[in-house]
Amino acid sequence: QVQLVESGGGLVQPGGSLRLSCATSGIAFGRYSMGWYRQAPGKQREVAATITSYGGANYADSVKGRFTISRDNTGNTVYLQMNSLKPEDTAVYYCNAQPGGPFFPWGQGTQVTVSS
């Protein structure tokens, strides 16, 4: 059974930081490029960052320089370090396989709210 469980979200002030975690099970984690996605109110889900099996990363222009994606292939976990947060980063954040390939069932996501 495939499980993707996101955690680490919360309420932070602009300029603050959060670290999100995505714990996976039931997949050959080390074989997949993974990504973090986010969905803001009134907008469709978009990819924020991706990471290959070996750790190569790509970022959306909107988060480049502020977010860092990483992975632990032993613990089957993907992380997203979020710094210098802005109100426009407010969204529900999800993890999944990278775009261009098949997706796993979506988890519940974790809410990130950036507000003063």
Side-chain angles (χ1 to χ4, degrees):
Q1 184 178 0
V2 175
Q3 287 187 303
L4 306 175
V5 181
E6 300 92 348
S7 62
L11 174 63
V12 297
Q13 295 185 359
S17 297
L18 286 171
R19 190 175 80 147
L20 308 183
S21 298
C22 172
T24 75
S25 61
I27 67 172
F29 178 81
R31 297 186 179 185
Y32 289 94
S33 294
M34 300 293 293
W36 280 98
Y37 303 79
R38 63 186 187 178
Q39 187 167 26
K43 302 182 69 175
Q44 69 179 46
R45 185 154 42 209
E46 65 179 5
V47 62
T50 61
I51 185 167
T52 70
S53 297
Y54 296 98
N58 283 286
Y59 301 92
D61 288 342
S62 57
V63 310
K64 192 172 299 181
R66 301 186 298 118
F67 290 10
T68 303
I69 188 171
S70 61
R71 66 189 295 158
D72 175 2
N73 285 351
T74 299
N76 298 333
T77 302
V78 190
Y79 302 96
L80 187 67
Q81 179 66 47
M82 310 166 66
N83 299 326
S84 302
L85 283 162
K86 304 175 180 180
E88 51 262 45
D89 296 318
T90 296
V92 179
Y93 284 72
Y94 304 86
C95 65
N96 215 308
Q98 73 165 6
F103 289 114
F104 301 111
W106 295 94
Q108 295 300 304
T110 185
Q111 175 72 49
V112 172
T113 302
V114 185
S115 177
S116 59

